[in-house]
Amino acid sequence: MPERVYTRFDDDDVPSSKPSKPSVTSDKPPAPSQGKKRKRGELQSNPAPEKKASKLLADHASCAKTQQNSGNINGVSRSGPPQQNGIPRNGPGRDDKNGHGHGHGQHGQHGHLSKKREILLPLRKALPIWPHAEEIKAGLRGSKDVMLLTGETGSGKSTQVPQFLLDEPWCKGCIAITQPRRVAAISLARRVAEEMGSLLGSLSPASKVGYSVRFDNSTSPNTRIKFLTEGMLLQEMLRDPWLNQYSAVIVDEVHERSVNVDLLLGFLRNLVTGDKKGRNGKPLKVVIMSATADIESLFKFFDEGFQKSLNTCQKAKGDHTQTNGANDSDSSWSGIASSEDENSKKALTKKSKPNGVGKSNGERSLKRKENPSISPEPIDLTSDFMYTCYIEGRQYPVKIMYLPEPTQDFVEAALKSIFQIHYKEPLPGDILVFLTGQDTVEALERLVNEYALGMDTNVPKLLALPLFAALPQSAQQRIFHPSPPKTRKIILSTNIAETSVTVPGVRYVIDSGKVKIKQFRNRLGLDSLLVKPVSQSAAIQRKGRAGREAPGVCYRLYTEKDFVGLEKRTVPEILRCDLSGSLLTMKARGVDDIFSFPFLDRPPREALEKALLQLLQLGALTETGGISEVGLQLAKLPLTPTLGRVIVEAAKPERDCLLEIIDIIACLSVENIFLNLITEEKKEAAEEARRELYRREGDHMTLLTTVQAYAKENSDRKSWAERHFISHRAMQNVMDIRKQLRQQCTHLKLLHPSKIPLKESPAAPSEAQTNAILHSLLRGFAANTARLMPDGSYRTMLGNQTVAIHPASVMFGRKVEAIVFSEFVFTNKSYARGVSGVQLGWVGDVLGSMG
DNA sequence: GAGCACTGC
């Protein structure tokens, strides 16, 4: 009875039980429409010659049913179809942060620069955000220090907002704008420099736009707009906690909710609602840019900060004057808000009850929650200190198709959908498939290629392109090449395409509805990497990838009911990661009481306590919970506290193996340097080629040997890496980090400059050195130790859990009395990765010394 | 016998 049929849910991503208007749903077949409707059997009219293919298509044909193509569109339609203003794809301000859209070099001459600026100006003026310039400027004047801004994809917010604010009277200093990713920071800076007719960063002392990311700082004395990664701004706050060089901080892509952005928001709230005494009276304006759905919680977050500050201020006043009514809220308003104009004064008097405004807006926005994808109606979330602004985006409508029945095998379901789309839909229109990981990507790639062989010759060709982070850069670049003639590209991707990489040419998205997600388990102290259902917001994000260039279709490989049952939001990273690094960051920036730090989402007390305990065990905190000398050193290292602690240990005179440890740590802080090989043939070849690098002491000494051998190779490192089946890109990263860590350690007086060899030392480490290295590792990873049990398994020293040595380890299959490991991950079972053999007595010593 | 995605003076 249940026909396998894609059903379409019109219009809204989050269906409510009673749709506000009639829509095509799963229980009623759509009314036939005159236009593009295709017959059911149409797929069969193109029978594939090969049996497999024809079987597949026949299967799918019976379930393929196209829905009427109503003019109803999903997403933002208010501003009409995009690109009507002659704006090219990837044109100005379209949030193209891959750096592929406009890779112009610098034009050396002033004339060129201003000409470029003139050319770009009309394109800027056509952006959806342009008409809001005055509103945005006005929104931050007077007592209003915080602006919440939602701008959908393609609104131009990342490029235009800093330029709007630049000439405001309060803006005497620099504007910082943060990005979650390096490429985004750099390509946005390049774009804005062009728009302003300025050279980029350090290219000229006069340049007004720069950027700052790890390993790459490009600013000038005259930089007014600086794009930086979130981590970079946090790092700057270590030196300059009041952010004195900035007049404004713009935090972009807040909805991605990285750990760093959460910390940043907490610090910024404290700054902007605090006494600002370190800023010598200079104002600091904060702009938060995020998805519409987050605005309410962000508003509450900052509003709470302002309320608290009012209460504190008022209490202080009460204490001083010894007079009335500490709870009389009205009397306190004028105390803190030194309003600069009549309007804000009026606003002050209007707001009689602290919660009044927020509440009514809360009710209104609840309505929106049911339909988050409709055209945003402005919600009037305003306070005396905040302004909320909505910018429509440029997004084409995307139809959604659901499976009528859940599927167990999303790879097979994706395969069927790919061929269904390919046979049904005319070119152009590439297909983007969201899968969980390298394994499913490669499995589907093989299947697509296999079935494509059986396609009729008059059917367009298929080109399957895998996309995942571990893929070499050159292979990743293939997705940007235009399709060959009469060919449809099928991009098989992990969630890298959700945020990090924008694939051009996509009109069809197939969403497996699954994602591999990392979760830190406090009690066990280990990371889990598990396949889980995506959240609704992630599903919406994936769907949106189909509507970047033309109207599109999103095939969800789950039912509409499944979608309704999904979590609304992806759990923010800060609630599912090890917090020790974050807490160290906070302690180093003067947050004494981490339990009162303003978290947008507060991690459970247990997680905070666990992290504090870990920092204590590393010696990063004093007995009283203050930060120690070691802790300050760790906070300055671009490493996790654990890895940092290994560095500090290795610098001790009795260990004296810092350079070696730096090489190892550099490897541990990049992705796997050893390439994953698929065919048996290559695996064997790699085994053979790497034999000279393998060390029986374990993975850490193997990494050291590898770095030393690579560094020693002066002629052609790339071919050396290829010969040894080692990722050259990862090794370049390792060398960058090695350099940075050496510098850092010199600054921290852990390393004397005279110790850095001018030439790469070829000497293999002695046994004494090896022991020193392993002891240093043990100091940081004391909790990651296990002993061999009589039955041949390993059990952790703390917690007595079973761990298996990961198959990729050189220690795999070996039995030694004890092991130390730098990574502990749960996938199918608990695995130790990065394993070295150690003496049981050493482990006892280090555990004993920690108490 | 196995590898989501980012990021740091």
Side-chain angles (χ1 to χ4, degrees):
Chain A
M1 167 210 79
E3 219 181 355
R4 274 177 69 81
V5 59
Y6 272 114
T7 57
R8 168 179 170 209
F9 190 83
D10 248 38
D11 211 12
D12 300 329
D13 269 298
V14 187
S16 57
S17 49
K18 33 177 187 169
S20 52
K21 57 182 145 181
S23 67
V24 184
T25 60
S26 52
D27 42 21
K28 244 195 264 169
S33 72
Q34 52 289 60
K36 288 174 79 177
K37 173 140 197 235
R38 276 158 223 264
K39 279 179 297 208
R40 251 180 172 202
E42 189 169 311
L43 280 178
Q44 283 164 325
S45 67
N46 279 328
E50 211 176 84
K51 269 184 192 161
K52 260 189 209 162
S54 59
K55 181 175 181 301
L56 172 79
L57 289 168
D59 276 3
H60 216 208
S62 68
C63 69
K65 187 188 245 177
T66 328
Q67 306 295 320
Q68 88 182 76
N69 193 2
S70 81
N72 211 343
I73 50 174
N74 177 294
V76 184
S77 58
R78 222 164 46 174
S79 57
Q83 287 182 245
Q84 281 192 337
N85 301 319
I87 296 173
R89 280 182 211 161
N90 293 331
R94 304 280 317 237
D95 293 346
D96 171 37
K97 296 176 187 172
N98 290 336
H100 299 283
H102 35 70
H104 318 292
Q106 292 299 324
H107 308 273
Q109 289 156 358
H110 182 70
H112 254 107
L113 290 173
S114 45
K115 200 167 176 193
K116 184 90 199 177
R117 184 182 59 197
E118 277 163 36
I119 293 169
L120 292 177
L121 189 60
L123 302 179
R124 293 175 61 200
K125 286 182 176 170
L127 288 168
I129 200 167
W130 190 265
H132 296 269
E134 277 312 312
E135 182 191 356
I136 288 167
K137 289 182 201 176
L140 278 173
R141 285 179 192 148
S143 67
K144 290 201 184 350
D145 285 343
V146 175
M147 169 145 57
L148 308 177
L149 192 146
T150 73
E152 307 196 10
T153 318
S155 63
K157 62 184 187 312
S158 310
T159 53
Q160 303 311 306
V161 173
Q163 297 186 70
F164 292 160
L165 300 181
L166 203 52
D167 296 324
E168 285 298 287
W170 50 262
C171 191
K172 300 278 189 269
C174 191
I175 297 177
I177 170 161
T178 68
Q179 294 292 324
R181 282 168 292 279
R182 293 158 42 110
V183 269
I186 297 171
S187 61
L188 285 169
R190 181 177 296 137
R191 181 72 201 186
V192 171
E194 280 181 357
E195 289 185 3
M196 290 176 65
S198 162
L199 280 169
L200 177 61
S202 51
L203 290 173
S204 148
S207 97
K208 297 194 199 81
V209 185
Y211 64 88
S212 175
V213 302
R214 193 184 193 183
F215 308 128
D216 196 358
N217 189 343
S218 184
T219 51
S220 82
N222 281 302
T223 295
R224 297 286 317 283
I225 296 176
K226 182 156 119 189
F227 286 88
L228 23 61
T229 47
E230 294 152 356
M232 216 58 184
L233 189 60
L234 283 176
Q235 215 49 50
E236 286 190 3
M237 288 187 81
L238 213 47
R239 284 196 310 265
D240 176 15
W242 297 97
L243 291 172
N244 271 312
Q245 61 162 310
Y246 299 109
S247 293
V249 176
I250 304 172
V251 190
D252 201 0
E253 312 285 16
V254 168
H255 56 275
E256 290 189 23
R257 292 299 301 278
S258 64
V259 174
N260 282 345
V261 98
D262 276 22
L263 294 179
L264 211 47
L265 289 176
F267 288 129
L268 287 173
R269 189 184 107 168
N270 280 347
L271 249 177
V272 87
T273 66
D275 56 20
K276 303 193 186 90
K277 65 181 169 212
R279 287 185 59 88
N280 303 318
K282 286 175 293 182
L284 179 71
K285 305 287 181 177
V286 172
V287 182
I288 308 292
M289 310 210 282
S290 187
T292 311
D294 301 322
I295 285 304
E296 198 182 340
S297 58
L298 285 165
F299 180 88
K300 281 184 187 151
F301 177 72
F302 278 96
D303 194 48
E304 188 188 288
F306 283 116
Q307 300 299 339
K308 273 201 179 140
S309 122
L310 289 178
N311 291 338
T312 319
C313 178
Q314 178 184 307
K315 257 188 215 144
K317 223 165 103 183
D319 289 346
H320 274 296
T321 55
Q322 300 288 319
T323 52
N324 54 350
N327 286 324
D328 181 2
S329 58
D330 275 332
S331 66
S332 69
W333 288 100
S334 52
I336 188 159
S338 53
S339 52
E340 286 173 23
D341 56 9
E342 281 304 309
N343 281 340
S344 3
K345 271 190 191 139
K346 266 186 223 154
L348 284 177
T349 52
K350 253 198 288 186
K351 181 162 182 172
S352 53
K353 277 180 286 177
N355 288 328
V357 174
K359 201 172 177 184
S360 65
N361 282 307
E363 281 163 12
R364 240 195 289 180
S365 53
L366 280 180
K367 267 190 220 150
R368 281 189 46 77
K369 269 192 182 160
E370 293 162 10
N371 288 329
S373 61
I374 58 168
S375 244
E377 292 301 324
I379 305 171
D380 181 30
L381 283 177
T382 53
S383 88
D384 307 312
F385 312 106
M386 276 189 275
Y387 186 78
T388 312
C389 182
Y390 297 86
I391 315 294
E392 65 280 18
R394 286 217 173 99
Q395 173 82 7
Y396 288 90
V398 178
K399 256 198 301 188
I400 301 174
M401 312 286 268
Y402 289 99
L403 282 184
E405 299 275 299
T407 175
Q408 290 303 311
D409 185 349
F410 62 77
V411 172
E412 190 203 336
L415 182 68
K416 289 185 175 180
S417 304
I418 287 168
F419 281 91
Q420 181 188 343
I421 295 165
H422 188 54
Y423 273 75
K424 191 180 73 177
E425 304 288 350
L427 288 176
D430 296 336
I431 304 173
L432 173 61
V433 190
F434 283 103
L435 300 159
T436 51
Q438 187 177 341
D439 50 349
T440 48
V441 165
E442 285 169 348
L444 186 54
E445 183 189 3
R446 277 193 295 273
L447 286 169
V448 169
N449 286 332
E450 200 178 311
Y451 283 101
L453 287 176
M455 288 192 312
D456 219 6
T457 44
N458 58 12
V459 178
K461 292 189 182 58
L462 282 176
L463 177 63
L465 298 172
L467 178 64
F468 46 87
L471 200 67
Q473 204 72 51
S474 58
Q476 286 191 15
Q477 291 298 318
R478 290 169 68 203
I479 63 164
F480 299 109
H481 302 160
S483 310
K486 290 188 191 161
T487 303
R488 193 192 301 271
K489 282 195 287 188
I490 318 287
I491 295 102
L492 310 169
S493 174
T494 63
N495 57 350
I496 189 173
E498 230 174 81
T499 48
S500 308
V501 177
T502 303
V503 187
V506 170
R507 296 197 186 173
Y508 308 99
V509 161
I510 299 172
D511 175 13
S512 66
K514 296 284 193 285
V515 67
K516 215 176 261 188
I517 202 162
K518 203 169 182 169
Q519 174 111 34
F520 184 74
R521 298 191 194 170
N522 282 305
R523 203 159 311 153
L524 307 176
L526 61 74
D527 276 325
S528 306
L529 201 51
L530 299 172
V531 174
K532 296 183 94 172
V534 294
S535 66
Q536 288 185 353
S537 64
I540 292 167
Q541 180 80 20
R542 288 177 172 190
K543 180 202 76 181
R545 292 299 182 182
R548 298 280 292 209
E549 298 177 4
V553 189
C554 176
Y555 294 78
R556 289 180 171 160
L557 303 180
Y558 41 96
T559 65
E560 190 180 325
K561 200 174 149 221
D562 289 339
F563 178 83
V564 178
L566 294 175
E567 293 290 332
K568 291 260 185 293
R569 333 264 351 207
T570 306
V571 176
E573 196 185 0
I574 200 152
L575 296 184
R576 52 182 172 85
C577 75
D578 172 23
L579 292 170
S580 55
S582 305
L583 293 200
L584 189 64
T585 300
M586 287 158 52
K587 289 278 181 185
R589 286 159 189 76
V591 177
D592 295 322
D593 178 14
I594 51 132
F595 293 98
S596 66
F597 182 79
F599 285 102
L600 194 48
D601 281 287
R602 179 167 300 279
R605 198 178 177 93
E606 190 196 1
L608 292 167
E609 281 169 354
K610 171 92 189 171
L612 281 175
L613 186 66
Q614 203 200 330
L615 290 177
L616 204 62
Q617 284 169 346
L618 290 174
L621 299 180
T622 63
E623 297 276 303
T624 54
I627 191 155
S628 67
E629 278 303 310
V630 168
L632 278 173
Q633 289 178 319
L634 299 190
K636 287 177 183 166
L637 289 167
L639 298 169
T640 62
T642 330
L643 290 174
R645 187 62 185 83
V646 177
I647 295 253
V648 171
E649 186 69 17
K652 287 186 176 168
E654 67 266 33
R655 305 282 182 228
D656 192 28
C657 55
L658 184 53
L659 288 174
E660 289 80 6
I661 280 290
I662 284 177
D663 287 357
I664 295 169
I665 299 284
C667 289
L668 295 179
S669 47
V670 303
E671 81 257 43
N672 195 0
I673 62 170
F674 296 108
L675 292 172
N676 296 315
L677 303 157
I678 302 152
T679 63
E680 281 305 316
E681 222 176 22
K682 284 203 168 175
K683 274 183 192 171
E684 273 171 37
E687 198 74 9
E688 185 60 37
R690 291 172 184 166
R691 191 155 298 157
E692 56 179 286
L693 304 171
Y694 287 161
R695 288 294 169 273
R696 59 174 296 101
E697 293 89 348
D699 295 320
H700 302 109
M701 294 308 291
T702 299
L703 290 173
L704 174 61
T705 312
T706 307
V707 176
Q708 288 182 338
Y710 178 86
K712 217 165 67 179
E713 177 67 38
N714 284 321
S715 50
D716 189 351
R717 286 178 174 175
K718 190 160 189 244
S719 76
W720 183 93
E722 278 163 10
R723 272 205 312 282
H724 291 84
F725 298 90
I726 282 167
S727 159
H728 185 238
R729 188 172 57 132
M731 286 309 293
Q732 287 174 313
N733 245 327
V734 167
M735 298 307 277
D736 277 341
I737 294 172
R738 173 164 101 146
K739 191 173 148 202
Q740 188 189 22
L741 289 177
R742 285 179 171 188
Q743 282 173 355
Q744 207 85 32
C745 287
T746 311
H747 278 249
L748 292 172
K749 303 219 173 359
L750 294 168
L751 180 64
H752 198 273
S754 66
K755 283 218 155 190
I756 300 177
L758 297 172
K759 264 178 71 179
E760 298 296 340
S761 85
S766 66
E767 193 185 334
Q769 276 177 311
T770 303
N771 287 351
I773 290 166
L774 295 176
H775 271 104
S776 304
L777 284 167
L778 265 176
R779 184 59 188 87
F781 291 105
N784 287 7
T785 48
R787 62 188 297 180
L788 187 65
M789 304 311 280
D791 65 358
S793 70
Y794 289 93
R795 279 179 179 259
T796 56
M797 302 289 288
L798 305 174
N800 201 34
Q801 296 175 65
T802 305
V803 288
I805 296 177
H806 196 276
S809 168
V810 302
M811 296 293 289
F812 180 68
R814 300 251 315 271
K815 308 255 184 272
V816 292
E817 62 178 5
I819 52 171
V820 60
F821 43 94
S822 39
E823 214 182 334
F824 190 20
V825 183
F826 184 91
T827 48
N828 293 319
K829 55 180 178 175
S830 294
Y831 283 110
R833 284 199 299 213
V835 185
S836 285
V838 287
Q839 292 175 23
L840 193 54
W842 300 355
V843 181
D845 289 347
V846 70
L847 288 175
S849 74
M850 294 192 327

